[in-house]
Structure formats: C-alpha cells, structure tokens
Amino acid sequence: MTTFVDRVELHVAAGNGGHGCASVHREKFKPLGGPDGGNGGHGGDVILVVDQSVTTLIDYHHKPHRSATNGKPGEGGNRSGKDGQDLILPVPDGTVIQDKAGNVLADLVGHGTSYIAAQGGRGGLGNAALSSARRKAPGFALLGVPGDLQDIVLELKTVADVALVGYPSAGKSSLISVLSAAKPKIADYPFTTLVPNLGVVTAGSSVYTIADVPGLIPGASQGKGLGLEFLRHVERCSVLVHVLDTATLESERDPLSDLDIIEEELKQYGGLDNRPRIVVLNKIDVPDGKDLAEMVRPDLEARGYRVFEVSAVAHLGLKELSFALAEMVGAARAAKPKEEATRIVIRPKAVDEAGFTVTLEEDGLFRVRGEKPERWVRQTDFNNDEAVGYLADRLNRLGVEEALMKAGARSGDGVAIGPEDNAVVFDWEPTVMAGAEMLGRRGEDHRFDAPRPATQRRRDKQAERDEAAQEFEGFEPF
Ligand SMILES: Nc1nc2c(ncn2[C@@H]2O[C@H](COP(=O)(O)OP(=O)(O)OP(=O)(O)O)[C@@H](O)[C@H]2O)c(=O)[nH]1
Ligand SMILES: [Mg+2]
C-alpha cells in the first residue's frame, strides 16, 4: 500500500563554506613571493523544487534531516576550494513551506518552481584575495561561514482544477476512476478514501485534474469522521462538485439535506464560497435512485445549480459531465491572473537599513545584530591577531564602533555580536580609528595638527576603494 503524507517537519542544513588559505608563494631563489592562498569554496544550498512526478511528502517523513555538502578549503598556489554541491529536494506541486511558527515562506505551484530553504555558507577569502595596496602580505585568511540550518514545515495542498466533495460512499472515488485513468480504492464502507486521490481527465481537447477528499459527515467541522483537515486539498480547486448519493439506504438522508450539510461544513471551513459549484446525482443505475434524482432535480436547479445525473458504475451521463467540467475549468483558467501561477514569498530580511542594530540589554551587554557583522565574526580566526585586526577594520568601516559609542558603550564594556545562543562576546576596546571617526570624517582627523598632503589622502582613498572592490568581485560590496 502506498502511503500518503501531506505534512512533514523538515530539518535542512546547507553546506559550510570552505576556509580561505593563508600561504606565501615560494620559488627557488625567490623566497619572498606574494601571498597565494586560494579562497574556500561556497557551501551547497538546499533547494526545494516542484517535480510533478512526486505526489507525496513521504520521503521526507522517513528522512527528515537533509544536508548539502561543504565547500572545500582553498590551497596555496592560488588554488580555490571546490564549491559544495547543492542539494535538490523534489516536492509535489502545491507544497507550502512554513516556518515553525506557521508563517508561510513560500507557496510552490508549478513544475520547476523552486525555493532556497537553506543558503550555503560563503567560502573564506584566501590571503591572496585579501591583499591590497595597504595590506601587501596578509598573514591570515577568512574562515568559511557555516551553512544555514533551518527547520521548516512542508504542507501539501493538492493542485487540482476540480474537487469532488460529498458524504462517504457517495461515489466520489468511483467517479474519479471512470473519468480518469486513476485507480483509487473503492468500497462500500464509509471512509474508504483516507487520503486525496488525483486523476487527470481528457475531455476533447482539454485536459484537467480532478481530486476527491475523504467523505464529510455532519459535524466534520467539530472533528467528526475524518474532520475537515483534508479540505486543504480542495482549497486550490477552481470548481467544486457536490457528489450526492441517490441510492443511500440511510433513512434520514436524501440528496437535498446531504447538500445542505456538506455546504454547512464547507462554510465552517471557510474560504471556498466563491468557487463555482455543480451537483452530480450519482447511482442512477439503481431504479429508486433514478426516481429520486428526477424528484430533486427541479429543487436543485431552483437553487441555481447545474445538475448532472450519472452512474459511475453503469457509465451513464459521464461524457456530458466531463465536458461541462472542462468548460468550467477553461473559464476559470481564463479568468485567473497569469502571475498567480507561481507565488513565491521572499523571506524578508530582519535587518534595518544600516545593516545592523545595536541594543543595550538589561545586564549591560551591548548586542550587535546584522547579517554582515555576524558573518564577519564567523569568518574570523580569533587565534590570529591580524585576522582580528581585519575584523575590527570591517566593523569600524560599517559604522559598528560608532554606533556602539552612540549607544553609550565605553572601553571595557561587554559587546556581543550575534544571536543569544550563538554570539561572539568580547570586551570592547574602541580602536583609535573609531575615535577619529567621531571627530571628523575618515582621513580628516582633526586631532592631527598638520593635515596630510593631498597625495597621501588620495593614496589612502584609493587603497580603501581597492579593498572594497576586491571583496565585491569575489563576494559582495561593503
Ligand atoms: N450502484 C452504484 N453504486 C455505486 C456507484 N458509484 C459508486 N458506487 C458504489 O458506492 C460505494 C462507495 O463508492 P466510493 O467511490 O468508494 O465512494 P466515496 O464517495 O469515494 O466514499 P469515501 O471514500 O468513503 O468518501 C462502492 O461500493 C461503489 O461501488 C453508482 O453509480 N452506482
Ligand atoms: Mg472515496
């Protein structure tokens, strides 16, 4: 028996970036060549991609931990490390991705639609890439950044044009089996269908998909029977079909009250009011069924429904039904705005415009949050003084030191960069540059009596630009 899973929690880990390499070129008779340490490779991403041949999330139920591969470290001789491989995870059409709090991160509809669930860590720059006019022979390299770790929830909302709803044993699965090539389980006991079935119908030149959901009973909205949980699979349909049983032996039931009850449950579920609906009176091969169908038809039509009398078992009225559905699906598709085909919600970045925030916490700790400062800290080899100095320069240039001063930080105060559970904490020692920055613009420090000559200022500016450009080429601008 194939199992169907429509909700899983998935833990994804992107690959770590490879460390940059610090190395000095050596050649016979040229002992002091330039720095030639290569960059580390980037870690692989974890990417979810809609694949129409996948119909359930069962694979992720069995294996909920997935990771991409790490980038390789850089090597001497300017050899860059290889990038890690992206991990592509195929998911069914209609997979909704949420974070653990239930916020929708992406809604993947349409073959090939993709979403990067975890971003690979950047490779660290080697000392060759870190060298500049001002820093000719850096004796350090940047560390690779760890890849993203994400816990996400995948939920499948089947994408079908037409959805069949009705009481258990009304014949929904039977209808799918005769309208399409799908072969769902059919039996004469209630709740035969425990998971949605999906079939593809060809009617003339049009092709559409049709799905059923487990039967509904009065009180489904209070969790009776299988409840309303499966109705999420009809949320995306453009046409709803009420399948009414004209041959039920239960004395208190008849097609009209069945319809009322199902409509009431749909209303409880919500969000389906605007779907066009039609009524199918099934089982007219049974003599009493045919009579009952004819009896209720005027009532149903008076309520505004188009009514089709069919028999799934005797194959009556099916052609008319399938062409009518094709027509309704066609109209719905034509009315649908194009961009609705693919809906991706880009995760908003939780940083302000400056790229970082500084907050003073209750215990007197200053906390710095921001994508760049947090990454830079992770790229730093704290055993290497030069690397730490480079970090200080970067933080300074971004304005972190200045912001700390403005927030009231003084020499010796504790500063944490990063989230509570994963921060680098150190005693703050403002650099001279930061002090200078407070007094004037960089390079125009009023504390120096004689201003630097213009040529020197130009050279310094150029060196600064070089450095920024280097980072830009390989990675990103400051
Ligand atoms: N006589 C007759 N029996 C039918 C017809 N359609 C379905 N049945 C029978 O009704 C019973 C239930 O059919 P299903 O297709 O499993 O019903 P369902 O609506 O999918 O039921 P659930 O999955 O439980 O919600 C089966 O025994 C079918 O053979 C029909 O047109 N005529
Ligand atoms: Mg069924």
Side-chain angles (χ1 to χ4, degrees):
M1 187 184 135
T2 54
T3 319
F4 178 90
V5 170
D6 65 354
R7 193 172 196 279
V8 292
E9 205 178 304
L10 187 62
H11 313 279
V12 290
N16 300 330
H19 297 330
C21 169
S23 144
V24 176
H25 180 66
R26 272 173 226 284
E27 221 176 294
K28 247 185 193 170
F29 313 119
K30 281 194 196 163
L32 283 178
D36 73 344
N39 303 334
H42 300 307
D45 297 336
V46 179
I47 306 173
L48 306 180
V49 180
V50 172
D51 180 335
Q52 257 152 3
S53 66
V54 176
T55 52
T56 124
L57 297 168
I58 182 89
D59 283 358
Y60 305 113
H61 173 71
H62 290 312
K63 261 185 81 184
H65 293 267
R66 303 296 178 110
S67 14
T69 56
N70 299 333
K72 291 270 186 302
E75 291 175 40
N78 285 312
R79 282 188 302 264
S80 298
K82 245 179 98 178
D83 290 344
Q85 252 184 9
D86 292 342
L87 177 69
I88 308 286
L89 299 177
V91 295
D93 197 5
T95 299
V96 179
I97 303 160
Q98 299 169 357
D99 62 16
K100 279 175 95 175
N103 302 309
V104 173
L105 304 174
D107 185 356
L108 301 183
V109 177
H111 190 76
T113 306
S114 65
Y115 173 76
I116 300 179
Q119 192 119 42
R122 285 160 193 249
L125 287 182
N127 67 339
L130 287 167
S131 66
S132 69
R134 277 193 316 183
R135 201 173 41 232
K136 289 208 165 53
F140 71 99
L142 296 186
L143 301 180
V145 175
D148 266 357
L149 298 173
Q150 299 289 349
D151 295 328
I152 52 177
V153 174
L154 306 186
E155 202 172 77
L156 178 58
K157 291 187 178 183
T158 304
V159 179
D161 297 302
V162 176
L164 306 181
V165 292
Y167 263 73
S169 298
K172 302 179 294 298
S173 301
S174 302
L175 264 178
I176 288 197
S177 77
V178 292
L179 289 171
S180 75
K183 290 287 158 265
K185 188 170 184 290
I186 293 163
D188 60 358
Y189 55 86
F191 303 117
T192 309
T193 300
L194 299 175
V195 299
N197 298 301
L198 188 63
V200 180
V201 183
T202 308
S205 61
S206 67
V207 176
Y208 57 90
T209 49
I210 185 165
D212 75 351
V213 288
L216 297 171
I217 56 170
S221 48
Q222 278 90 55
K224 292 231 175 88
L226 295 178
L228 296 182
E229 199 206 326
F230 287 98
L231 279 181
R232 73 161 161 270
H233 292 283
V234 315
E235 270 179 44
R236 295 187 200 273
C237 73
S238 23
V239 178
L240 274 175
V241 176
H242 280 291
V243 181
L244 302 178
D245 190 341
T246 60
T248 177
L249 299 172
E250 292 172 45
S251 54
E252 74 280 16
R253 281 179 52 196
D254 71 87
L256 292 174
S257 62
D258 282 6
L259 176 69
D260 288 341
I261 282 164
I262 300 296
E263 272 298 334
E264 181 55 33
E265 298 302 333
L266 294 181
K267 203 169 112 200
Q268 292 297 325
Y269 183 79
L272 297 167
D273 293 352
N274 62 355
R275 300 300 193 292
R277 293 145 153 82
I278 62 164
V279 164
V280 165
L281 294 164
N282 188 32
K283 308 194 185 180
I284 57 160
D285 56 297
V286 179
D288 289 350
K290 177 74 182 159
D291 293 345
L292 184 57
E294 272 166 17
M295 216 170 84
V296 295
R297 175 190 266 276
D299 251 340
L300 291 166
E301 284 174 345
R303 293 194 201 179
Y305 290 106
R306 276 176 84 183
V307 179
F308 295 83
E309 292 177 29
V310 308
S311 163
V313 164
H315 294 220
L316 300 172
L318 298 177
K319 201 164 174 196
E320 207 191 343
L321 172 64
S322 75
F323 276 85
L325 287 174
E327 195 186 297
M328 294 175 79
V329 168
R333 284 181 187 161
K336 212 176 201 163
K338 274 274 178 297
E339 62 273 18
E340 244 192 62
T342 300
R343 285 164 290 181
I344 300 266
V345 182
I346 308 290
R347 217 176 341 168
K349 279 232 157 101
V351 277
D352 70 359
E353 268 172 26
F356 69 91
T357 57
V358 173
T359 43
L360 174 58
E361 302 192 336
E362 277 175 14
D363 51 4
L365 191 72
F366 290 87
R367 185 174 300 279
V368 179
R369 295 299 314 265
E371 199 259 328
K372 278 182 189 168
E374 288 177 31
R375 169 159 48 82
W376 292 345
V377 158
R378 278 173 301 186
Q379 287 177 316
T380 302
D381 173 2
F382 283 93
N383 294 318
N384 183 320
D385 289 345
E386 229 182 310
V388 176
Y390 180 70
L391 171 66
D393 281 354
R394 291 173 119 181
L395 292 175
N396 188 6
R397 196 172 301 128
L398 188 67
V400 174
E401 299 234 303
E402 196 181 331
L404 279 167
M405 269 190 188
K406 281 196 183 133
R410 293 288 168 263
S411 178
D413 284 347
V415 169
I417 299 185
E420 231 157 85
D421 55 347
N422 185 20
V424 172
V425 185
F426 49 91
D427 291 336
W428 192 48
E429 211 48 71
T431 60
V432 180
M433 281 309 278
E437 197 112 342
M438 295 306 288
L439 301 169
R441 281 183 39 214
R442 179 189 297 286
E444 294 170 12
D445 191 334
H446 304 316
R447 290 176 305 176
F448 292 106
D449 294 329
R452 288 166 305 157
T455 48
Q456 177 66 41
R457 270 209 306 268
R458 265 202 303 280
R459 231 177 288 142
D460 284 354
K461 271 264 174 307
Q462 187 55 43
E464 226 169 82
R465 271 197 295 271
D466 279 355
E467 195 171 302
Q470 261 165 6
E471 170 125 333
F472 180 67
E473 268 168 35
F475 299 87
E476 64 156 26
F478 278 108

Coordinates of all heavy atoms in Angstrom, one line a residue, residues 169 171-174 184-186 191-194 197 212-215, ligand 2:
S169 N -19.0 7.2 0.7 CA -19.7 6.2 -0.1 C -20.7 6.9 -1.2 O -21.5 6.2 -1.7 CB -20.5 5.2 0.7 OG -19.6 4.5 1.5
G171 N -19.7 8.0 -3.9 CA -19.2 7.5 -5.2 C -18.2 8.5 -5.8 O -17.9 8.5 -7.0
K172 N -17.5 9.2 -4.9 CA -16.5 10.2 -5.4 C -15.3 9.5 -6.1 O -14.9 9.8 -7.2 CB -16.0 11.1 -4.2 CG -17.2 11.9 -3.5 CD -16.7 12.7 -2.4 CE -16.1 11.9 -1.2 NZ -17.1 11.0 -0.6
S173 N -14.8 8.5 -5.3 CA -13.6 7.8 -5.9 C -14.0 7.0 -7.1 O -13.3 6.9 -8.1 CB -13.0 6.9 -4.8 OG -12.7 7.6 -3.7
S174 N -15.2 6.5 -7.1 CA -15.7 5.8 -8.3 C -15.8 6.7 -9.5 O -15.4 6.3 -10.6 CB -17.1 5.2 -8.1 OG -17.1 4.4 -6.9
P184 N -8.3 4.7 -7.8 CA -8.3 4.8 -6.3 C -9.1 3.6 -5.7 O -9.8 2.9 -6.4 CB -9.1 6.1 -6.1 CG -9.9 6.3 -7.3 CD -9.2 5.7 -8.4
K185 N -8.9 3.4 -4.4 CA -9.6 2.4 -3.7 C -11.1 2.7 -3.6 O -11.4 3.8 -3.2 CB -8.9 2.2 -2.3 CG -9.4 1.0 -1.6 CD -8.5 0.9 -0.3 CE -8.8 -0.4 0.5 NZ -9.9 -0.6 1.2
I186 N -11.9 1.7 -3.9 CA -13.3 2.0 -3.9 C -14.0 0.8 -3.1 O -13.6 -0.3 -3.3 CB -13.9 2.0 -5.3 CG1 -13.4 3.2 -6.1 CG2 -15.5 1.9 -5.3 CD1 -13.6 3.1 -7.5
F191 N -15.6 6.0 4.5 CA -14.2 6.4 4.7 C -13.3 5.4 4.1 O -12.3 5.0 4.7 CB -13.9 6.6 6.2 CG -14.8 7.6 6.9 CD1 -15.7 7.2 7.9 CD2 -14.8 8.9 6.5 CE1 -16.5 8.1 8.5 CE2 -15.6 9.8 7.1 CZ -16.5 9.4 8.1
T192 N -13.6 5.0 2.9 CA -12.7 4.2 2.1 C -11.5 5.0 1.7 O -10.4 4.6 1.8 CB -13.4 3.7 0.8 OG1 -14.6 3.1 1.2 CG2 -12.5 2.6 0.2
T193 N -11.8 6.3 1.4 CA -10.7 7.1 1.0 C -10.2 7.8 2.2 O -10.9 8.6 2.9 CB -11.2 8.2 0.0 OG1 -11.7 7.5 -1.2 CG2 -10.1 9.1 -0.5
L194 N -8.9 7.6 2.5 CA -8.3 8.2 3.7 C -7.4 9.3 3.3 O -7.0 10.1 4.1 CB -7.5 7.1 4.4 CG -8.4 6.0 5.0 CD1 -7.5 4.9 5.6 CD2 -9.4 6.5 5.9
N197 N -7.3 11.6 -3.7 CA -6.9 11.0 -4.9 C -6.9 12.0 -6.0 O -7.7 13.0 -6.0 CB -8.0 9.9 -5.4 CG -8.1 8.8 -4.3 OD1 -7.1 8.1 -4.1 ND2 -9.3 8.6 -3.8
D212 N -10.5 14.0 -5.2 CA -11.5 13.9 -4.2 C -10.9 13.9 -2.8 O -9.6 13.9 -2.7 CB -12.3 12.6 -4.4 CG -11.5 11.3 -3.9 OD1 -10.3 11.5 -3.7 OD2 -12.2 10.3 -3.9
V213 N -11.7 14.1 -1.8 CA -11.1 14.1 -0.5 C -12.0 13.1 0.3 O -13.1 12.8 -0.1 CB -11.2 15.5 0.2 CG1 -10.2 16.4 -0.4 CG2 -12.6 16.1 0.1
P214 N -11.5 12.7 1.5 CA -12.3 11.7 2.3 C -13.6 12.3 2.5 O -13.8 13.5 2.7 CB -11.4 11.6 3.6 CG -10.0 11.9 3.1 CD -10.1 12.9 2.0
G215 N -14.6 11.4 2.6 CA -16.0 11.9 2.8 C -16.2 12.7 4.0 O -15.5 12.6 5.0
Ligands
MG2 MG -13.5 7.6 -1.8

